[in-house]
Amino acid sequence: MPKLNPEQERAVKTIDRPLLVLAGAGSGKTRVITEKIAYLVKQGLPARHIAALTFTNKAAREMKQRVGKLLDNNQLRGLRVSTFHSLGLDILRKEHKTLQYKTGITLFDEQDKITLLKNLIAHGNAQYDIDSVELYSGKIGLWKNAFITPEQALSHASEEDNIAALVYVEYTRSLKAYNAVDFDDLILLPVLLLQNYPEVLEKWQNKIRYLLVDEYQDTNITQYQLVKLLVGKLGKFTVVGDDDQSIYAWRGAQPENLSQLQTDYRRLTVIKLEQNYRSYGRILKVANQLIANNPHAFEKKLWSNMGFGEPLRVLTHKNDAEEAKQIVSEIVHHKFKTGADYGDYAILYRGKHQSRLFERSLREFDVPYFITGNTSFFAYAEIKDILSYLKLFVNQDDDAAFLRIVNTPRREIGPSALEKLGAYASERHISLFSACSEMGIREKLPQTALARLQKFCEWTHRTAHALQTGDTFAEINAFIEQINYHQWLHENSNTQQTAERKIKNVCELTEWLQRIAKSDDDHQTDNQAEKNLDEIVAKIQLMDIMERNQDEQADQQVSLMTLHAAKGLEFPHVFLIGFEENILPHQNSIESNNIEEERRLAYVGITRAQRSCTFSYCTHRKRYGDISESEPSRFLAELPEEDLEWQSKKPVDKAEQKQRGKANLAHLKSMLS
């Protein structure tokens, strides 16, 4: 392995004991994982018994592509490279009978979850508060990520959390009744399954004989339980992580899971990857000194052979509008001076709202830019509509899908009728669809409304049967035509152009579904049959949830993104804006005494930079319509003074001023041309 450094090679070849690889930013961790998969296969372990888990579809795709360059198709057969949640969904689908679920399990996204909770609150305990629905939803998610079941939450809940725990119990019961699970269940339910059914555990341990986990510092308690169960007492695993880049505590991530491994696995080997292949040495020196202010279970220090580099600059502005103008001017000038591309620059910030003024300035300077977090394909109403139809065809107990499309296009079924139907279904603990065919509903609804509902249900049954027995994709196109959906889009769009764009999106969706049906799953073999519609829908639902804010190629555009979104990326030139108290560190973190995670977030920002890093702060900032004074971030005082260049303390350079004028003039000419 001539291209690996000694620590990387040791990490690849250590396969006889549990292994923790502490991989600093830019130290080649993905390479270690992919080389290790190839090494395991070449040592005689079939790829079908190897699983590599990460947190995003994008990371899983990249990992699988890299492994594909190291092994041939026969060697790759059966390899599982996926997200934690994809593995969880696969376990649930294969073991649904043991958990007493029917086939075609529906996956609820956050919107579906909120809809169900609102329905439960409206028809449930008088103590439930409809205005607290977001609070209940968040609390339920945190409980699931902390491996706390509804019964445990209820028995241990404080007085303050008691109502949320009651909602959690009802919510879980309703999900089961609808043959549905939510995103967090994709980890919680497999863990409960493997804990309670030894024969199922043995089956999955035999399937997965070596486990690799990327970004291990981002695992929550429930994910750690899943890893422990799958690897068993032998501990055939490699986990790769960096406690200095743990920035997801708000969604349950536990960097303590790294040190917990030493307690649970006495034979654990720890290998540190400290050589950085991304950044100049001065950037790493600054990052190292900042993060040294956090306590550490494992000490490490990044270093680089790429040269030392220029000082990191600190810019001061009188207000946030000036900050935006000045940073964009800096980019224009630097590009003119160095011949760089716009795609070499990134503007990173703590909160999404900070991008607005920068967007305006970039537009005024005619600088192309891209904001990570644009509208996902799945977020379009027309895509949600068609997917909801498909979800209902696959699982008639899916209330969220039922409610979305029962009147889309309009079937003259009023909200009053749906409310009465919902109340009846809640009393009977059945789905809305099932309630439509019960004798008791006749006493609750006017005959006309009931007839329309039953007509819709009969049509749904017929179409679902046709999709299962006929040409699935011909039937999908047929039902879209039957409901006159394209005409409805024309009637409900402001312009002809908008309607045509929406129709084009629907066509793109149906073509994409067909491509998914023909393609192999990440871990399927070539001779397996095409997927059923319920499998396709489940895969699409998971993609939807995991890729809502999917990154697109910024190409030759300045990248604007939050520090959280920047993790895992790199740019030649980085601007860290709003480097102020109450922004970074954030006010909420200051009040909750969670400065350590904010420091890790600043560390992540600095280590995105390859060649230059610039900090920017304002003396005054507009908040909620009022101008207030701002103070530089405490983190600036923690950086080595000799490696910073404060623009406010630097004497005016007339030659540089002249050069900036030339850069702006050249840019103006290019805009005019």
Side-chain angles (χ1 to χ4, degrees), residues 399-456:
D399 277 7
F402 180 94
L403 287 169
R404 182 171 185 94
I405 50 89
V406 69
N407 245 341
T408 305
R410 278 183 286 276
R411 295 183 176 88
E412 306 302 328
I413 300 166
S416 173
L418 290 174
E419 192 176 327
K420 289 172 184 172
L421 178 67
Y424 178 80
S426 293
E427 282 172 26
R428 299 274 296 126
H429 298 295
I430 56 174
S431 68
L432 297 169
F433 194 95
S434 299
C436 292
S437 58
E438 288 215 340
M439 295 289 287
I441 194 66
R442 296 180 182 182
E443 298 171 13
K444 308 286 183 181
L445 289 176
Q447 191 174 348
T448 311
L450 181 60
R452 286 172 180 152
L453 279 167
Q454 289 179 337
K455 182 181 177 184
F456 169 71

Side-chain angles (χ1 to χ4, degrees), residues 49-75:
H49 292 310
I50 301 171
L53 301 181
T54 186
F55 282 84
T56 67
N57 289 324
K58 184 180 175 184
R61 280 195 300 271
E62 182 189 346
M63 205 178 286
K64 191 156 191 186
Q65 284 167 2
R66 289 208 201 179
V67 179
K69 293 174 183 175
L70 302 172
L71 298 172
D72 63 37
N73 288 338
N74 283 334
Q75 291 173 312

Side-chain angles (χ1 to χ4, degrees), residues 121-228:
I121 293 164
H123 300 100
N125 192 316
Q127 291 178 285
Y128 296 166
D129 178 11
I130 194 71
D131 294 330
S132 298
V133 65
E134 300 280 353
L135 180 71
Y136 299 150
S137 175
K139 196 72 190 173
I140 290 168
L142 287 173
W143 274 324
K144 290 185 179 185
N145 289 333
F147 195 48
I148 297 171
T149 63
E151 297 73 26
Q152 290 168 335
L154 195 57
S155 63
H156 296 101
S158 63
E159 191 175 337
E160 184 185 349
D161 288 338
N162 190 56
I163 301 299
L166 287 169
V167 174
Y168 184 17
V169 172
E170 278 201 52
Y171 169 71
T172 303
R173 189 169 62 231
S174 293
L175 271 182
K176 188 71 180 286
Y178 302 150
N179 202 49
V181 296
D182 66 22
F183 189 62
D184 299 314
D185 284 329
L186 295 181
I187 311 297
L188 178 66
L189 292 179
V191 170
L192 293 172
L193 171 78
L194 298 177
Q195 275 190 345
N196 295 324
Y197 297 92
E199 69 284 3
V200 178
L201 175 62
E202 186 181 356
K203 171 182 163 185
W204 282 91
Q205 285 179 341
N206 284 331
K207 274 190 179 194
I208 299 174
R209 296 181 192 171
Y210 200 94
L211 183 68
L212 302 101
V213 182
D214 189 20
E215 303 287 8
Y216 186 71
Q217 76 281 348
D218 292 338
T219 55
N220 57 43
I221 293 171
T222 314
Q223 285 163 334
Y224 183 39
Q225 294 298 325
L226 181 62
V227 169
K228 276 181 71 177

Side-chain angles (χ1 to χ4, degrees), residues 285-531:
K285 180 189 172 189
V286 169
N288 284 335
Q289 181 156 322
L290 173 70
I291 206 63
N293 290 279
N294 273 5
H296 286 84
F298 306 96
E299 294 295 333
K300 69 176 186 309
K301 206 167 190 178
L302 294 177
W303 60 276
S304 169
N305 277 332
M306 297 175 63
F308 198 52
E310 297 296 316
L312 284 70
R313 299 168 69 224
V314 183
L315 306 181
T316 311
H317 314 278
K318 63 182 180 182
N319 58 49
D320 41 1
E322 286 298 316
E323 179 186 44
K325 285 180 187 174
Q326 182 62 27
I327 296 295
V328 176
S329 177
E330 289 282 333
I331 290 171
V332 169
H333 171 244
H334 192 272
K335 180 180 183 295
F336 176 78
K337 186 171 75 174
T338 63
D341 295 316
Y342 281 125
D344 292 339
Y345 300 91
I347 298 172
L348 309 183
Y349 37 81
R350 180 66 176 81
K352 287 183 180 179
H353 66 280
Q354 290 173 265
S355 71
R356 291 173 196 145
L357 290 170
F358 285 86
E359 289 182 72
R360 189 168 74 189
S361 290
L362 287 160
R363 284 197 300 268
E364 286 172 2
F365 275 84
D366 199 34
V367 171
Y369 66 92
F370 170 80
I371 301 183
T372 296
N374 280 355
T375 305
S376 161
F377 180 67
F378 297 104
Y380 291 116
E382 60 274 17
I383 302 304
K384 282 179 169 288
D385 289 345
I386 301 304
L387 284 178
S388 292
Y389 270 103
L390 295 178
K391 282 153 78 174
L392 196 65
F393 295 145
V394 166
N395 174 16
Q396 276 88 62
D397 292 331
D398 189 335
D399 277 7
F402 180 94
L403 287 169
R404 182 171 185 94
I405 50 89
V406 69
N407 245 341
T408 305
R410 278 183 286 276
R411 295 183 176 88
E412 306 302 328
I413 300 166
S416 173
L418 290 174
E419 192 176 327
K420 289 172 184 172
L421 178 67
Y424 178 80
S426 293
E427 282 172 26
R428 299 274 296 126
H429 298 295
I430 56 174
S431 68
L432 297 169
F433 194 95
S434 299
C436 292
S437 58
E438 288 215 340
M439 295 289 287
I441 194 66
R442 296 180 182 182
E443 298 171 13
K444 308 286 183 181
L445 289 176
Q447 191 174 348
T448 311
L450 181 60
R452 286 172 180 152
L453 279 167
Q454 289 179 337
K455 182 181 177 184
F456 169 71
C457 292
E458 287 163 10
W459 173 82
T460 301
H461 271 305
R462 284 198 308 274
T463 310
H465 180 71
L467 286 164
Q468 286 172 348
T469 57
D471 181 335
T472 301
F473 295 97
E475 294 296 340
I476 287 175
N477 290 321
F479 97 73
I480 292 171
E481 196 172 322
Q482 284 169 23
I483 62 174
N484 292 321
Y485 189 70
H486 290 178
Q487 182 184 331
W488 188 79
L489 287 176
H490 276 291
E491 290 169 359
N492 289 273
S493 298
N494 295 328
T495 65
Q496 176 82 4
Q497 194 176 9
T498 303
E500 285 170 2
R501 176 182 58 77
K502 291 183 176 186
I503 290 168
K504 188 178 175 184
N505 283 344
V506 171
C507 294
E508 189 179 330
L509 174 66
T510 56
E511 288 167 9
W512 188 29
L513 291 170
Q514 202 157 0
R515 285 198 300 274
I516 288 174
K518 288 177 180 175
S519 69
D520 291 328
D521 243 340
D522 283 345
H523 48 87
Q524 277 187 322
T525 54
D526 294 335
N527 61 355
Q528 283 178 293
E530 286 187 353
K531 300 175 190 64

